[in-house]
Amino acid sequence: EHLSRKRSSKVEGAHSTMMNADMDAVEAENQVELEEKTRLINQVLELQHTLEDLSARVDAVKEENLKLKSENQVLGQYIENLMSASSVFQTTDTKSKRK
């Protein structure tokens, strides 16, 4: 009986050691998965910030573009007015009408 208890104790000890090793392996695997998830989450957050920055930049460029278009229209109208008021840019239609 003493011998069978010893054997049983050894088997339980070996079984316990194997279970601990399995648990350590699972824990290590979980740690690796957790680190990978954390890395991916950080990467996603970084990409989101980059996208927000790019989106804000696109909006700023669109706004600047509209402003420049408007300024160009004003300048174009101003130049047209100057040209029509100046005799240098008058068409030759007035000379042909005199004939």
Side-chain angles (χ1 to χ4, degrees):
E1 187 181 315
H2 178 69
L3 204 61
S4 77
R5 260 195 243 147
K6 248 186 173 178
R7 247 188 232 143
S8 173
S9 174
K10 280 186 180 178
V11 168
E12 285 174 10
H15 184 69
S16 175
T17 302
M18 284 175 32
M19 282 182 57
N20 285 342
D22 287 345
M23 287 173 59
D24 288 346
V26 167
E27 200 172 298
E29 191 175 313
N30 287 342
Q31 183 65 31
V32 167
E33 283 182 21
L34 182 63
E35 288 171 3
E36 179 67 9
K37 284 180 184 177
T38 302
R39 188 185 68 76
L40 289 172
I41 287 170
N42 288 335
Q43 191 176 8
V44 166
L45 290 173
E46 185 179 332
L47 289 171
Q48 281 179 336
H49 293 325
T50 301
L51 181 59
E52 288 170 3
D53 292 345
L54 288 172
S55 182
R57 178 74 179 125
V58 165
D59 290 343
V61 168
K62 281 182 180 179
E63 192 175 313
E64 180 70 14
N65 188 28
L66 287 173
K67 182 181 164 191
L68 290 173
K69 277 184 179 179
S70 175
E71 288 176 5
N72 282 343
Q73 285 178 339
V74 169
L75 287 172
Q77 189 61 50
Y78 178 72
I79 291 169
E80 274 185 43
N81 292 342
L82 284 176
M83 288 172 58
S84 66
S86 171
S87 61
V88 174
F89 295 105
Q90 292 297 318
T91 60
T92 55
D93 290 344
T94 54
K95 292 181 182 175
S96 63
K97 286 180 182 174
R98 287 186 191 158
K99 289 182 180 179

